[in-house]
Amino acid sequence: AELRRAEMGGEQDDLVILRIASLLDAIGQPHQAKLEYHRFLSSPLCTQPVPDWRCETAKNLLEKPPE
């Protein structure tokens, strides 16, 4: 809830999206997590000429089979 509030409050850190995705994954909501991972991959951190290393991690998490 705190991360969602930060995001809605205009938090400029794109890693908030990744943290939300990771938390959703951890609490057993893989479908919601995948939506957030996709959103993170569309963020400036992942669309810049040299993407942040966490973008590759997010891609790999999207490709993992559901449990």
Side-chain angles (χ1 to χ4, degrees):
E2 287 183 39
L3 288 172
R4 289 284 188 203
R5 279 194 296 274
E7 182 183 33
M8 289 181 182
E11 176 61 49
Q12 298 298 311
D13 185 0
D14 292 324
L15 290 176
V16 168
I17 301 168
L18 181 60
R19 289 182 182 109
I20 290 170
S22 297
L23 287 170
L24 288 167
D25 229 352
I27 63 171
Q29 295 185 20
H31 299 294
Q32 287 297 106
K34 285 187 180 216
L35 294 173
E36 297 300 329
Y37 284 127
H38 279 293
R39 217 162 56 96
F40 175 66
L41 290 171
S42 298
S43 75
L45 275 178
C46 296
T47 58
Q48 62 190 352
V50 178
D52 185 274
W53 63 271
R54 290 165 281 222
C55 300
E56 190 64 33
T57 301
K59 281 184 200 175
N60 291 337
L61 289 167
L62 277 172
E63 294 171 1
K64 78 175 183 177
E67 296 177 3

